[in-house]
């Protein structure tokens, strides 16, 4: 470790931080950096939890309000897509890609995975 010194125009030096304090200050900077990094991670986790919570469908009314082509993962882990049919007022939910499936109502709570508003 070295001390932190200031070189004056006349060639003399002035010690601003003695060598004995440099290690302590570096240690403190490292500690504060770790705390900041940990706080950043926690804030990111909080933001993700809030975003995840806002995409939870907890009522049949919320489920029924979703637009056609919305995709959810229901409480049983089944991924399903909302489609409307002329002979099925209000539409129904089927597993994506299975056009011959019998429509059913996803189990609540369901996680909203995608809506047309999310884009492609």
């Amino acid at each position: 470790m070295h001390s932190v010194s200031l070189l004056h125009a006349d060639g003399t030096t002035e010690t601003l931080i003695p060598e004995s304090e440099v290690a302590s200050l570096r240690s403190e900077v490292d500690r504060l950096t770790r705390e900041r990094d940990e706080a950043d991670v926690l804030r990111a986790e909080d933001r993700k939890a809030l975003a995840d919570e806002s995409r939870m469908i907890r009522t049949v009314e919320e489920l029924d309000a979703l637009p056609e082509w919305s995709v959810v993962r229901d409480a049983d882990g089944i991924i399903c897509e909302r489609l409307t049919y002329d002979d099925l007022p209000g539409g129904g939910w089927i597993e994506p890609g299975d056009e011959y499936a019998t429509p059913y109502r996803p189990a609540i709570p369901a996680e909203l995975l995608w809506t047309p508003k999310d884009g492609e």
Side-chain angles (χ1 to χ4, degrees):
M1 291 284 153
H2 298 286
S3 61
V4 176
S5 302
L6 177 65
L7 177 62
H8 294 281
D10 64 3
T12 60
T13 60
E14 175 185 358
T15 300
L16 300 176
I17 304 173
E19 186 175 342
S20 61
E21 292 180 29
V22 170
S24 172
L25 290 171
R26 284 190 181 180
S27 177
E28 182 67 4
V29 167
D30 289 346
R31 183 187 67 78
L32 292 171
T33 300
R34 280 192 307 277
E35 284 182 10
R36 183 204 61 213
D37 292 347
E38 290 169 5
D40 287 347
V41 167
L42 291 175
R43 280 193 295 276
E45 289 172 354
D46 288 345
R47 284 192 301 273
K48 183 180 181 325
L50 286 173
D52 290 348
E53 184 61 29
S54 71
R55 297 190 61 91
M56 291 303 293
I57 306 301
R58 300 203 178 280
T59 66
V60 171
E61 293 77 18
E62 290 174 334
L63 189 66
D64 290 344
L66 292 173
E68 183 176 27
W69 305 112
S70 295
V71 178
V72 300
R73 178 183 297 115
D74 76 2
D76 297 325
I78 298 169
I79 294 177
C80 45
E81 175 180 35
R82 184 172 190 175
L83 299 176
T84 57
Y85 300 97
D86 292 336
D87 60 341
L88 185 62
W93 294 86
I94 64 168
E95 291 185 52
D98 189 356
E99 59 190 70
Y100 301 107
T102 302
Y104 68 98
R105 181 171 299 281
I108 301 294
E111 177 186 3
L112 178 60
L113 300 176
W114 188 86
T115 71
K117 295 177 186 175
D118 293 334
E120 294 201 30

